[in-house]
């Protein structure tokens, strides 16, 4: 979700009628921006694609900036009549949030760590207290002070040294995800002179309290490709490179185990993984390969006692299984099953404690938490009682503890943080997110899971929430959201901002389409590479189901998605534009073929296992057949709001810019089409806590406007 902060004077104020027959474009004498086409042919495999808007990738070109600003100006003028409503929505959403809030404390190495916010301030304050919550508060970082003078500011990767005296952290002031690492002396409050540029922001301390390992990024592609060792008190120019990831389809990272015994370097791609380990007491030693990478072999490692525990798909374990091996015999021929593969259950993660193993699983789309004693004396699941909830383990850094911290939320229940005593089975709700304003009552809303049938007969789960008492007669506006890529699952969760939709009569639906992992690993496999179109047709078939079952109608159905979900939006409006009255496409990945052919663009090479490598003809042709930009045609499109960020490192701004330009050129309808570029932010949008609400307010105002809802 990306937005500009341009202030314009409205040339007129008007309202759209409830039946949506009057179009804003007809109500105002405002001309959509035009942009020059410059002939450019792109040839591959004997196929020629014409791309007259290719030149919009020239970030430093004044004409490109001028075009983006003209689009922003057009969007601002066309929506000037909603400005007051946007402000009201922002205040409404902000009013539900407790401003002077703080996180539930968690204990690590003798200190309780707390993140808190103060009224009227956008950024967090990171604090800690020694041994007891009654101790004096020590402020690690007041990000509000640090962010002064910056239009964008993001602090991440906070990592305190084992002796509790130093903390490393990363800072990005551009939103390009290029972080500079700094080190702060927690005894003196001084930030040390040494700094490390062009990193992921995170760093890992060795047990000597003076050695840091960190991940460096490639300057051009921003791929995380090198691991360095830094010694306290020296310049980063003297840092020692300990690992280079040579395969450009892989990225790399570094961390230490929960047991604090090992520093681990991980290498990852979509289909394969590899780890190297080093005793954290000997940081100048050599890393040892755990198990060499093999295409198709995925594994993740956790250390406990004298053994390693491995979550892996070895031996055809599509939904993963848990295996075990000794510290000194780490190659795969030594691994033995601890929890065998189960066809109907996806093993997602494990959490290791001194006396307990906690297993996070998913069966039939629903999260489950299995708690096992190492000695076998108990083995049970936490109980959950509905089908639209999300649960998962939280911050559990302490190894010797009987308390499991986990989170719980549902479409109607605000997020809760819960401590569970694994021995006594006592549950303590430490915090349930407060919804301020005095209007929210969870009993006023209803949620359920329904199943749509795809064209190929596959049942697609859909999580739905709405106000109780709604009549399903086809007249309700419905906001349908999905993502559908990378195996990322969009679980049903509570949202205070979503209440602004529900309280105005909207139904909200999450389509759990293929390409995610909601129904297990095969659900993901069936929505990637040469099966990618299942993602798009699933979304369309869910829309048809929602219309058929009279949850909504074509005149009141709205679709939304961002990033790879923006690709989904682009494909859907080419394939079935008649189903939707409006579409919100946030930071959309829409020029698939061109991007995947350009290995200088950040993240491209690491994406081959997700989308395919278009240097191979089969993938090129399949990719081209659905790429939103390549398939824009002369037909009617829904009303559309497209957003991007000038500094986006994941989906470059020029993809949505080119897409909108081509849509303007070819579409045959009179529906509105807006491009809104945040000229100061990147993929994650604005950095402040409440600035993001302004972006949501814009999106909601867009669909409310189309529905004739004015307050």
């Amino acid at each position: 979700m990306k937005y500009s902060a341009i202030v314009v004077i409205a040339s007129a104020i008007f309202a759209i009628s409830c039946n949506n027959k009057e179009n804003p474009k007809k109500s105002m004498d405002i001309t959509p921006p035009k942009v020059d086409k410059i002939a450019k042919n792109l040839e591959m495999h004997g196929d020629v694609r014409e791309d007259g808007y290719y030149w919009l990738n020239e970030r430093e070109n004044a004409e490109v900036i001028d075009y983006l600003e003209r689009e922003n100006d057009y969007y601002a003028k066309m929506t000037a009549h909603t400005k007051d409503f946007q402000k009201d929505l922002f205040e409404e959403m902000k009013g539900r949030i407790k401003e002077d809030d703080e996180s539930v404390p968690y204990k690590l190495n003798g200190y309780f760590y707390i993140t808190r916010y103060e009224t009227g301030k956008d950024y967090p304050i990171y604090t800690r207290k020694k041994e007891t919550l009654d101790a004096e508060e020590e402020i690690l970082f007041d990000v509000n002070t640090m962010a002064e003078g910056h239009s964008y500011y993001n602090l991440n990767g906070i990592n305190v040294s084992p002796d509790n005296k130093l903390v490393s952290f990363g800072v990005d002031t551009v939103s390009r995800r290029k972080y500079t690492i700094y080190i702060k002396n927690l005894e003196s409050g001084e930030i040390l002179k040494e700094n490390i540029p062009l990193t992921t922001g995170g760093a890992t301390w060795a047990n000597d309290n003076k050695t840091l390992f960190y991940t460096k990024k490639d300057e051009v592609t921003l791929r995380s490709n090198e691991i360095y060792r830094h010694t306290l008190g020296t310049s980063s120019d003297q840092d020692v490179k300990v690992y280079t990831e040579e395969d450009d389809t892989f990225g790399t990272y570094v961390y230490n185990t929960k047991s604090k015994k090992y520093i681990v370097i991980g290498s990852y791609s979509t289909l394969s993984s590899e780890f190297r380990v080093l005793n954290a007491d000997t940081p100048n030693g050599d890393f040892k390969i755990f198990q060499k990478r093999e295409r198709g072999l995925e594994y993740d490692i956790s250390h406990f006692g004298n053994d390693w525990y491995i979550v892996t798909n070895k031996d055809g374990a599509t939904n993963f299984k848990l295996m075990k091996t000794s510290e000194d015999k780490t190659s795969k021929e030594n691994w033995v099953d601890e929890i065998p593969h189960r066809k109907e259950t996806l093993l997602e993660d494990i959490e290791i404690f001194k006396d307990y193993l906690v297993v996070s699983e998913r069966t039939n789309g629903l999260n489950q938490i299995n708690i096992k004693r190492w000695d076998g004396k108990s083995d049970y699941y936490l109980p959950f009682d509905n089908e639209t909830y999300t649960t998962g383990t939280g911050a559990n850094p302490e190894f010797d503890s009987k308390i499991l911290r986990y989170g719980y939320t549902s479409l109607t229940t605000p997020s809760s943080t819960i401590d569970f005593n694994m021995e006594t089975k006592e549950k303590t709700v430490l915090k349930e997110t407060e919804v301020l304003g005095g209007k929210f009552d969870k009993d006023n809303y209803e949620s359920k899971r329904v199943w749509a049938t795809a064209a190929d007969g596959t049942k697609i789960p859909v999580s739905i929430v709405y106000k109780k008492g709604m009549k399903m007669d086809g007249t309700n506006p419905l906001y349908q959201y999905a993502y559908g890529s990378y195996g990322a699952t969009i679980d049903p969760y509570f949202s205070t901002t979503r209440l602004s939709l529900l309280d105005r009569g909207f139904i909200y639906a999450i389509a759990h389409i293929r390409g995610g992992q909601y129904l297990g690993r095969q659900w993901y496999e069936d929505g990637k590479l040469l099966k990618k179109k299942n993602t798009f047709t699933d979304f369309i078939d869910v829309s048809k189901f929602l219309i058929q079952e009279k949850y909504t109608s074509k005149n009141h159905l709205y679709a939304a998605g961002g990033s790879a979900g923006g690709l989904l939006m682009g494909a859907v409006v080419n394939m079935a534009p008649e189903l939707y009255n409006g579409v919100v496409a946030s930071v959309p990945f829409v020029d698939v073929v061109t991007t995947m052919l350009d290995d200088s663009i950040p993240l491209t090479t690491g994406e081959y296992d997700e989308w395919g490598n278009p240097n191979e003809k089969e993938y090129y042709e399949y990719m081209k057949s659905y790429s939103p930009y390549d398939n824009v045609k002369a037909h009617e499109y829904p009303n559309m709001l497209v957003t991007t960020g000038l500094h986006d490192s994941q989906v470059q701004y020029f993809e949505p810019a080119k897409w909108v330009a081509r849509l303007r050129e070819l579409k045959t309808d009179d529906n509105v089409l807006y491009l809104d570029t945040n000229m100061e932010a990147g993929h994650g949008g604005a950095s402040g806590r409440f600035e993001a609400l302004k972006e949501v307010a814009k999106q909601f105002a867009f669909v409310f406007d189309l529905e004739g809802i004015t307050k």
Side-chain angles (χ1 to χ4, degrees):
M1 296 178 287
K2 307 291 180 283
Y3 297 95
S4 68
I6 293 177
V7 178
V8 298
I9 300 174
S11 59
I13 297 177
F14 69 100
I16 303 175
S17 63
C18 288
N19 62 12
N20 198 37
K21 291 181 179 178
E22 185 180 9
N23 189 288
K25 189 172 173 183
K26 295 178 180 178
S27 303
M28 308 175 73
D29 186 19
I30 301 173
T31 305
K34 292 183 179 180
V35 62
D36 292 338
K37 291 183 70 176
I38 300 176
K40 175 78 172 181
N41 289 333
L42 304 170
E43 185 172 353
M44 191 69 181
H45 304 298
D47 178 62
V48 177
R49 292 181 301 126
E50 182 277 325
D51 189 356
Y53 302 110
Y54 185 87
W55 68 279
L56 289 176
N57 69 359
E58 299 170 11
R59 188 187 307 271
E60 306 302 325
N61 186 331
E63 292 185 27
V64 172
I65 300 302
D66 176 69
Y67 167 61
L68 297 176
E69 290 178 339
R70 284 189 289 117
E71 284 282 5
N72 281 352
D73 186 60
Y74 173 72
Y75 165 66
K77 288 177 178 175
M78 289 289 288
T79 58
H81 62 289
T82 71
K83 290 298 182 186
D84 287 343
F85 191 18
Q86 288 178 36
K87 292 176 183 176
D88 291 343
L89 284 169
F90 168 75
E91 293 298 336
E92 174 181 297
M93 291 186 285
K94 182 180 177 183
R96 298 191 189 105
I97 298 172
K98 186 179 180 182
E99 292 199 47
D100 56 338
D101 201 7
E102 67 178 42
S103 65
V104 176
Y106 69 88
K107 195 174 185 182
L108 174 62
N109 198 19
Y111 282 84
F112 284 97
Y113 287 87
I114 304 164
T115 303
R116 62 179 176 83
Y117 290 88
E118 294 182 351
T119 301
K121 295 185 178 180
D122 256 340
Y123 293 93
I125 300 170
Y126 297 100
T127 72
R128 69 178 184 177
K129 296 180 178 182
K130 190 172 183 178
E131 296 297 346
T132 170
L133 290 172
D134 294 326
E136 183 179 353
E137 178 186 76
E138 177 185 347
I139 294 179
L140 306 180
F141 303 104
D142 183 344
V143 186
N144 298 285
T145 301
M146 299 168 75
E148 288 178 2
H150 297 281
S151 58
Y152 178 91
Y153 194 92
N154 190 358
L155 183 149
N156 84 346
I158 296 173
N159 201 325
V160 178
S161 61
D163 64 4
N164 291 311
K165 295 180 180 180
L166 300 165
V167 60
S168 65
F169 62 101
V171 173
D172 173 16
T173 58
V174 179
S175 188
R176 192 79 175 149
R177 300 193 182 186
K178 296 193 291 188
Y179 291 86
T180 298
I181 291 175
Y182 299 93
I183 300 168
K184 182 177 182 179
N185 185 316
L186 292 174
E187 293 181 317
S188 67
E190 171 194 11
I191 293 180
L192 307 186
K193 292 182 180 179
E194 56 210 83
N195 61 80
I196 308 168
L198 197 60
T199 76
T200 60
T204 298
W205 291 94
N207 289 340
D208 63 359
N209 298 294
K210 66 179 183 180
T211 305
L212 268 180
F213 293 90
Y214 64 89
T215 309
K216 199 93 168 173
K217 288 189 169 188
D218 182 274
E219 177 73 56
V220 176
T221 67
L222 301 187
R223 181 170 69 94
S224 304
N225 65 334
E226 294 174 334
I227 305 295
Y228 279 81
R229 184 179 69 231
H230 174 78
T231 302
L232 208 63
T234 66
S235 167
S236 62
D237 295 339
Q238 301 172 22
D239 290 354
V240 177
K241 187 192 301 184
V242 297
Y243 178 66
T244 301
E245 179 49 69
E246 301 286 359
D247 188 333
D248 62 6
T249 67
F250 278 72
T252 189
Y253 58 101
V254 62
Y255 67 98
N256 59 3
T257 58
K258 185 174 178 178
S259 66
K260 305 303 179 187
K261 185 172 181 179
Y262 290 98
I263 305 291
V264 181
I265 293 175
S267 292
Y268 63 93
S269 72
T270 305
L271 294 178
S272 307
S273 47
E274 182 181 73
F275 293 91
R276 289 167 167 76
V277 299
L278 172 68
N279 192 304
D281 291 333
T282 58
N284 293 325
D286 296 325
F287 283 84
K288 171 193 170 187
I289 289 183
F290 190 93
Q291 161 61 42
K292 289 184 66 174
R293 69 187 65 180
E294 296 178 8
R295 183 166 177 81
L297 176 64
E298 299 175 63
Y299 70 96
D300 199 6
I301 58 176
S302 300
H303 177 255
F304 171 57
N306 298 317
D307 299 304
W308 290 96
Y309 287 80
I310 307 118
V311 176
T312 180
N313 67 347
K314 183 177 178 288
D315 306 320
T318 305
N319 272 335
F320 293 82
K321 61 180 177 177
L322 183 64
M323 304 187 78
K324 174 184 177 181
T325 193
S326 61
E327 283 181 308
D328 57 344
K329 295 179 180 179
T330 61
S331 55
K332 67 176 186 177
E333 63 269 16
N334 300 297
W335 303 355
V336 296
D337 281 8
E338 183 77 9
I339 300 177
H341 178 250
R342 293 158 292 171
K343 184 179 179 181
E344 304 301 327
T345 298
L346 175 67
L347 199 166
E348 294 189 309
D349 200 6
I350 63 171
E351 186 78 64
I352 288 178
F353 296 87
K354 180 182 176 182
D355 296 320
Y356 294 90
L357 170 67
V358 178
V359 184
S360 296
E361 305 173 352
R362 184 185 297 272
T363 300
N364 195 31
L366 304 180
N367 301 127
Q368 296 180 318
I369 296 177
N370 182 203
I371 298 172
K372 302 169 175 283
R373 277 191 65 96
W374 289 113
D375 60 15
K377 291 182 179 178
S378 66
D379 185 338
Y380 58 93
Y381 285 85
L382 294 181
F384 301 105
D385 58 2
N386 66 66
E387 290 191 331
T388 61
Y389 72 89
T390 299
T391 188
T393 57
N396 290 284
E398 290 283 274
F399 176 70
D400 188 3
S401 175
K402 291 180 173 58
I403 303 299
L404 169 70
R405 178 162 296 175
Y406 71 94
Y408 176 87
T409 183
S410 77
L411 287 174
T412 58
T413 307
S415 299
S416 299
T417 302
I418 299 162
D419 272 1
F420 180 79
N421 188 309
M422 294 180 281
E423 183 175 314
T424 66
K425 299 185 181 180
E426 292 177 296
K427 183 176 81 169
T428 304
V429 178
L430 301 175
K431 179 179 181 180
E432 180 174 289
T433 301
E434 291 185 63
V435 182
L436 303 184
K439 297 180 180 179
F440 173 72
D441 181 345
K442 67 179 72 175
D443 292 331
N444 290 336
Y445 303 89
E446 185 173 343
S447 66
K448 62 182 176 179
R449 185 170 65 163
V450 296
W451 298 78
T453 303
D456 64 1
T458 303
K459 296 292 186 181
I460 313 298
V462 188
S463 296
I464 298 177
V465 63
Y466 49 86
K467 288 201 82 169
K468 282 183 179 176
M470 290 185 70
K471 290 179 63 177
M472 301 305 166
D473 57 5
T475 64
N476 303 308
L478 189 148
Y479 197 90
Q480 180 181 335
Y481 175 79
Y483 185 72
S485 291
Y486 303 106
T489 298
I490 307 299
D491 281 309
Y493 62 96
F494 184 81
S495 165
T496 58
T497 58
R498 189 187 300 140
L499 294 174
S500 292
L501 289 172
L502 302 182
D503 290 347
R504 289 175 174 83
F506 270 74
I507 298 171
Y508 187 91
I510 302 172
H512 304 292
I513 54 182
R514 282 174 282 188
Q517 213 159 242
Y518 185 80
L519 291 181
R521 179 64 175 215
Q522 194 59 47
W523 201 245
Y524 169 42
E525 299 291 340
D526 288 343
K528 63 187 277 196
L529 296 174
L530 298 176
K531 296 181 180 179
K532 188 64 212 171
K533 289 182 185 177
N534 284 337
T535 302
F536 316 137
T537 55
D538 281 0
F539 189 90
I540 291 168
D541 288 335
V542 167
S543 298
K544 291 177 178 177
F545 167 82
L546 293 170
I547 292 169
Q548 176 186 321
E549 296 299 310
K550 297 192 180 300
Y551 286 98
T552 189
S553 64
K554 295 178 182 180
N555 290 333
H556 300 287
L557 179 56
Y558 301 89
S563 195
L567 161 64
L568 170 65
M569 294 299 101
V572 161
V573 296
N574 284 334
M575 297 167 70
E578 72 283 355
L579 292 179
Y580 309 95
N581 189 38
V583 170
V584 177
S586 307
V587 292
F589 172 42
V590 284
D591 191 11
V592 185
V593 180
T594 306
T595 291
M596 293 305 296
L597 282 169
D598 186 352
D599 59 15
S600 71
I601 291 178
L603 307 181
T604 290
T605 54
E607 305 281 294
Y608 289 157
D609 289 332
E610 178 72 24
W611 312 102
N613 183 349
N615 292 292
E616 299 175 25
K617 187 176 181 181
E618 181 182 27
Y619 289 108
Y620 172 89
E621 291 177 344
Y622 187 78
M623 205 176 284
K624 183 185 174 185
S625 73
Y626 68 74
S627 173
Y629 183 64
D630 290 293
N631 288 280
V632 174
K633 53 195 171 190
H635 71 190
E636 293 189 359
Y637 283 86
N639 298 285
M640 295 172 65
L641 169 62
V642 182
T643 72
T644 188
L646 181 62
H647 301 293
D648 197 329
S649 62
Q650 288 190 264
V651 178
Q652 308 291 316
Y653 74 89
F654 45 81
E655 290 198 41
K658 289 166 55 177
W659 183 44
V660 167
R662 182 168 280 182
L663 284 166
R664 289 208 190 286
E665 175 190 354
L666 295 177
K667 74 190 192 84
T668 60
D669 57 84
D670 242 359
N671 292 327
V672 296
L673 172 60
Y674 302 138
L675 173 65
D676 183 25
T677 304
N678 188 326
M679 305 300 283
E680 297 178 338
H683 200 68
S687 59
R689 177 168 55 145
F690 298 119
E691 286 302 305
L693 295 180
K694 295 178 182 177
E695 303 173 354
V696 178
K698 282 188 174 185
Q699 292 191 358
F700 287 2
F702 171 73
V703 297
F704 288 151
D705 197 25
L706 295 172
E707 278 295 306
I709 297 172
T710 59
K711 62 180 181 178

